[in-house]
Amino acid sequence: MNTTFNARRFLALLAKESLQIVRDPSAMLIAFALPLILLFLFGYGVSLDTTRTRIGLAVEDSSASALSLASAYRHSPWFEVTMQRDVTELRRALVAGDIRGIVVIPADFGRDVASRRGTGIQVITDGSLPNTAAFVAAYAEGVRAAWAEGYLRENGRQNTQLISIETRHWFNPGLESRFALVPGSITIVMTMIGTLLTALVVAREWERGTLEGLMATPISMAEFLAAKILPYFGLALGSMALCTVLAILLFGVPLRGSILALLAIASAFLMPALGQGLLISAATKNQFVASQVALLTAFLPGMLLSGFLYEIPSMPRLIQWITYAVPARYLVPPLTTVFVVGDMWSLFLPNILAMLGFGCLFFGLAFRATRRRIA
């Protein structure tokens, strides 16, 4: 194969590849229809919010303080409360999964409050759902603490606590999970387009034998790879722009960072994504095998090990080490930050360098595999 780079020949090849993508309905479907489906799925179908969690409230005391605390739970934005005088019926509802926790205000609650003795409530949660149980317990305690502070103030009594905690949630005061899920879903979209689409389309050319015919021409390997990559690079950026507009206008996710930072982060991630797609296509030369390998090596790791759905620090130590080999791991933090926080180049640059490093590795392996296949 020729080793010289001819600009005129490259532009002609680039025009041919771009026209081929436009004429391919499957490429348009993956580039623009699939992102919409994924974005709607993650934006509307997946929620990690604990707002309006169903709980039971057993009020065994009729004192004013007990009813005041019960009212605080009923008007809490976090809970949808079912009240009972006895905890027995609520236990059945908890076992049946109709409610996620029970708050019990005991019979001597009002007497203990009036005598200024230490008192407490009981919070029962469903431990088979650990995350929900932790949320219910934490928010139930938060409602009680807020009520106790207000109650003491209204009754002219001083709070005996030496330390008062004032909680502030920076960047996402409403703790809306879609602020993280929607930018994270863009990671999955770019992984699908960058790796799956490239692997499928190039593998199809291997199957049809058109690549061997192309290699019989005087084009160089650099011209070939650049002409194959650049149209998909533009296609992926166009899809990301569509997802960004929908995230802002439809889901209300703020874009507090700059367009330049967003473009730099997305461009850096497309390097390993496209390089991995080319490597898969060169290694498999079969559409079915290429799609399976792309799903196993790009989509699933991007979904499970990138920190998009599950926090990486909460994973076992061995899995945390494995995540360092997943390029999407380096996209999720800067992408979420540029949307929700703003420009933080001290965070962006290390991740961009890591993604570019993966890109160089994949392109080097794809170059070597393609040349070996043709030879």
Side-chain angles (χ1 to χ4, degrees), residues 310-348:
Y310 308 107
E311 292 283 346
I312 292 177
S314 64
M315 298 177 181
R317 182 66 65 182
L318 177 61
I319 303 299
Q320 291 186 35
W321 291 341
I322 294 175
T323 62
Y324 286 104
V326 178
R329 179 193 200 278
Y330 305 95
L331 175 62
V332 172
L335 193 60
T336 305
T337 301
V338 78
F339 269 96
V340 181
V341 179
D343 287 354
M344 290 185 61
W345 288 99
S346 59
L347 171 69
F348 298 162

Side-chain angles (χ1 to χ4, degrees), residues 207-229:
E207 282 185 344
R208 293 175 179 174
T210 55
L211 277 184
E212 283 82 352
L214 192 63
M215 293 303 171
T217 64
I219 66 169
S220 65
M221 182 62 73
E223 293 168 3
F224 167 75
L225 290 178
K228 282 292 178 188
I229 290 301

Side-chain angles (χ1 to χ4, degrees), residues 30 61 115 130 134 143 152 161 163 195 214 261 273:
I30 294 177
D61 189 13
S115 61
V143 171
L152 291 175
Q161 292 182 346
I163 300 174
T195 303
L214 192 63

Side-chain angles (χ1 to χ4, degrees), residues 39-364:
L39 207 59
F40 276 87
L41 179 64
F42 287 113
Y44 288 118
V46 180
S47 176
L48 303 178
D49 296 336
T50 57
T51 306
R52 311 310 298 173
T53 301
R54 298 188 306 276
I55 64 167
L57 179 62
V59 185
E60 299 176 345
D61 189 13
S62 299
S63 65
S65 55
L67 295 178
S68 174
L69 178 57
S71 177
Y73 278 108
R74 293 180 62 186
H75 292 90
S76 168
W78 309 110
F79 297 127
E80 183 177 331
V81 175
T82 301
M83 280 188 62
Q84 295 285 346
R85 297 293 298 179
D86 185 75
V87 75
T88 306
E89 189 64 29
L90 296 176
R91 283 177 179 164
R92 295 194 188 97
L94 183 65
V95 173
D98 296 331
I99 57 177
R100 296 304 181 190
I102 302 172
V103 176
V104 181
I105 301 178
D108 52 357
F109 182 83
R111 185 188 59 194
D112 291 343
V113 170
S115 61
R116 302 188 181 188
R117 289 188 300 181
T119 184
I121 60 174
Q122 183 182 29
V123 179
I124 305 170
T125 58
D126 182 359
S128 63
L129 300 171
N131 290 334
T132 304
F135 284 140
V136 170
Y139 283 114
E141 171 58 22
V143 171
R144 188 211 61 81
W147 169 85
E149 185 176 356
Y151 185 82
L152 291 175
R153 192 185 307 116
E154 289 175 2
N155 289 275
R157 292 159 56 179
Q158 292 183 349
N159 193 341
T160 57
Q161 292 182 346
L162 298 178
I163 300 174
S164 63
I165 300 175
E166 182 179 351
T167 304
R168 292 181 180 177
H169 303 287
W170 284 14
F171 313 123
N172 185 8
L175 297 179
E176 298 181 54
S177 61
R178 71 171 183 273
F179 280 23
L181 288 176
V182 173
S185 66
I186 297 177
T187 301
I188 304 303
V189 167
M190 295 182 68
T191 302
M192 293 287 288
I193 295 175
T195 303
L196 180 62
L197 185 59
T198 309
L200 278 178
V201 175
V202 180
R204 184 191 308 162
E205 295 197 38
W206 281 108
E207 282 185 344
R208 293 175 179 174
T210 55
L211 277 184
E212 283 82 352
L214 192 63
M215 293 303 171
T217 64
I219 66 169
S220 65
M221 182 62 73
E223 293 168 3
F224 167 75
L225 290 178
K228 282 292 178 188
I229 290 301
L230 287 180
Y232 293 105
F233 186 86
L235 197 65
L237 287 184
S239 180
M240 188 209 64
L242 174 64
C243 292
T244 301
V245 171
L246 288 177
I248 296 171
L249 299 181
L250 191 61
F251 296 103
V253 179
L255 178 61
R256 297 192 174 109
S258 64
I259 299 296
L260 174 64
L262 181 62
L263 187 63
I265 294 166
S267 301
F269 176 72
L270 286 176
M271 296 295 287
L274 294 170
Q276 189 176 359
L278 269 185
L279 176 61
I280 293 171
S281 66
T284 60
K285 300 175 69 172
N286 179 284
Q287 288 188 76
F288 176 75
V289 178
S291 65
Q292 299 303 309
V293 174
L295 288 173
L296 288 175
T297 61
F299 177 72
L300 287 180
M303 177 77 78
L304 301 176
L305 302 179
S306 64
F308 162 46
L309 287 179
Y310 308 107
E311 292 283 346
I312 292 177
S314 64
M315 298 177 181
R317 182 66 65 182
L318 177 61
I319 303 299
Q320 291 186 35
W321 291 341
I322 294 175
T323 62
Y324 286 104
V326 178
R329 179 193 200 278
Y330 305 95
L331 175 62
V332 172
L335 193 60
T336 305
T337 301
V338 78
F339 269 96
V340 181
V341 179
D343 287 354
M344 290 185 61
W345 288 99
S346 59
L347 171 69
F348 298 162
L349 288 178
N351 289 286
I352 287 175
L353 290 176
M355 290 187 283
L356 292 178
F358 274 101
C360 292
L361 174 65
F362 285 135
F363 274 116

